[in-house]
Amino acid sequence: MANDYTKIALQLQKYGTVQGLMKYINKESLKEQHKKQEKGKAVGIDNIRKEEYEENLEENIDNLLERMKKFTYRPQRTRRIYIPKEGSTKQRPISIPAYEDKLVQGNMAEILEQIYEPIFLNTSYGFRPGKSCHEAIERLDKIIMKEKVNYVVDADIRGFFENMDHKWLMKFLEKTIEDKNFLRYIGRFLKAGVMEGMKKYETDKGTPQGGLISPILANIYLHYVIDLWFKIKIQRNCTGGAYIVRYADDFVCCFEKEEEAKEFYEKLKERLNKFRTRDSGRKEQNNKVWEKSKWK
């Protein structure tokens, strides 16, 4: 039987915060995560596949839960591999968790989704249920064609997943989550480290691409760093139209007035520096403010 997350919604409505989340990581939820794993997928440093774990599934899950209760469970290092980056000659790092870590991460990601989906703004589209890249493009097209838009700021945060600041992420999580043990395990995943070939690397920043929990952690981070900031500090203070569409670490901001577009771009650089993220400078010519009337 799947977890009943009704109490999470009630806590959020009543208090704006949630606690008691560890109870949602249980035997049934971990078995459900096991069912979701695809056969034949690449393995982590434990070299365990779904079929092997399933041979003693009940015993393995019971053992995992016992270790989690005693806090002797520690996520293993992820195994880093490289795959071709679409539209580029560069390669993209992918980190593969150990099998048990996939189960726990998947379970925790599901819990986080229940907490944050009602909180996220409808201007973000990446890694969210019921939203897609196609919808983001469609929304952006409507803004540019139908709203009062003359200037566009195209932004991309270079190396975001590798550089996301752990301390800021934990501060953002603590705004809503009061379960210290749940947060403790998120911290352990962030600090688990990486194995590349025979070399070990510590992870004092970033969240590995390939981790099941990484997409929603990235969205939580950018919800506070970009989405809310744009709505409260930028949009409300603009005298002309101002709009944003974000898909993961890619986002486009549209403005009616040139001076407000340029002012936003300068503030954006300061914002990214404050939260220890970096602007890519992608497509940069003279600056990153594009004038609609000069598009070809």
Side-chain angles (χ1 to χ4, degrees):
M1 182 179 176
N3 275 326
D4 180 1
Y5 293 112
T6 307
K7 288 185 178 179
I8 288 179
L10 292 174
Q11 284 186 64
L12 283 171
Q13 289 172 11
K14 189 171 183 179
Y15 305 108
T17 58
V18 292
Q19 52 186 322
L21 298 178
M22 290 302 294
K23 68 183 178 184
Y24 296 108
I25 303 176
N26 51 57
K27 190 168 185 176
E28 291 305 314
S29 64
L30 290 171
K31 286 171 73 174
E32 189 63 31
Q33 290 300 320
H34 169 72
K35 288 180 183 178
K36 291 179 181 180
Q37 302 305 312
E38 296 180 28
K39 292 183 178 180
K41 298 291 284 186
V43 297
I45 64 170
D46 60 342
N47 204 34
I48 295 176
R49 299 182 184 277
K50 178 177 182 177
E51 299 86 341
E52 297 165 329
Y53 197 80
E54 196 168 292
E55 289 176 4
N56 297 294
L57 182 60
E58 297 289 331
E59 183 181 337
N60 287 334
I61 295 292
D62 286 342
N63 180 272
L64 172 57
L65 281 170
E66 186 65 24
R67 282 180 284 133
M68 290 195 75
K69 289 175 183 176
K70 293 179 179 178
F71 291 97
T72 57
Y73 163 72
R74 289 190 173 274
Q76 298 184 59
R77 294 176 185 272
T78 56
R79 182 170 72 90
R80 181 184 287 160
I81 62 173
Y82 291 87
I83 62 173
K85 193 172 184 179
E86 191 175 342
S88 172
T89 57
K90 297 180 180 180
Q91 291 192 311
R92 184 161 66 98
I94 294 292
S95 296
I96 305 168
Y99 191 78
E100 282 190 334
D101 297 341
K102 290 179 183 178
L103 305 185
V104 179
Q105 280 196 38
N107 201 159
M108 295 183 79
E110 188 176 274
I111 295 166
L112 288 170
E113 186 177 290
Q114 295 296 320
I115 298 167
Y116 285 96
E117 270 304 310
I119 294 172
F120 288 155
L121 304 184
N122 61 10
T123 52
S124 70
Y125 292 82
F127 309 125
R128 294 185 62 188
K131 291 183 177 286
S132 67
C133 182
H134 175 76
E135 288 178 303
I137 294 170
E138 191 176 69
R139 173 60 182 151
L140 181 61
D141 182 64
K142 286 181 179 179
I143 290 172
I144 292 173
M145 300 307 295
K146 295 184 178 181
E147 303 294 344
K148 293 181 179 180
V149 170
N150 298 310
Y151 299 89
V152 173
V153 179
D154 185 12
D156 170 22
I157 306 175
R158 179 177 57 195
F160 169 71
F161 282 90
E162 292 84 5
N163 292 287
M164 186 173 66
D165 187 85
H166 289 175
K167 288 183 180 179
W168 276 115
L169 174 60
M170 297 309 292
K171 285 181 181 179
F172 296 147
L173 290 166
E174 288 166 2
K175 288 176 179 289
T176 307
I177 298 173
E178 294 185 341
D179 188 324
K180 300 298 182 183
N181 292 332
F182 190 85
L183 293 174
R184 184 177 175 183
Y185 273 122
I186 289 179
R188 286 188 179 185
F189 275 115
L190 293 172
K191 302 290 185 184
V194 173
M195 178 80 78
E196 187 175 328
M198 298 301 292
K199 293 183 178 180
K200 296 179 180 179
Y201 297 94
E202 304 307 317
T203 46
D204 59 354
K205 61 182 178 179
T207 181
Q209 294 189 65
L212 280 72
I213 203 171
S214 295
I216 192 159
L217 291 181
N219 265 337
I220 292 166
Y221 197 91
L222 292 173
H223 169 74
Y224 288 102
V225 174
I226 300 297
D227 302 347
L228 269 184
W229 170 70
F230 188 88
K231 178 181 179 180
I232 297 170
K233 296 294 185 180
I234 303 299
Q235 216 167 29
R236 291 180 183 175
N237 291 317
C238 283
T239 56
Y243 311 88
I244 184 172
V245 175
R246 180 176 66 80
Y247 188 90
D249 54 349
D250 255 318
F251 55 99
V252 177
C253 300
C254 304
F255 295 88
E256 180 181 354
K257 297 184 176 180
E258 181 180 13
E259 63 272 19
E260 290 180 341
K262 290 182 175 179
E263 183 181 357
F264 163 74
Y265 180 55
E266 294 305 316
K267 288 181 177 178
L268 176 63
K269 288 191 288 186
E270 294 175 7
R271 183 77 174 173
L272 295 179
N273 285 333
K274 176 181 177 180
F275 292 98
R276 300 176 179 87
T277 51
R278 294 181 295 168
D279 180 17
S280 71
R282 180 171 60 88
K283 299 180 182 177
E284 184 169 357
Q285 294 177 354
N286 295 324
N287 53 49
K288 292 193 62 176
V289 180
W290 297 75
E291 187 174 350
K292 183 179 174 182
S293 63
K294 294 181 180 179
W295 292 359
K296 294 182 179 179

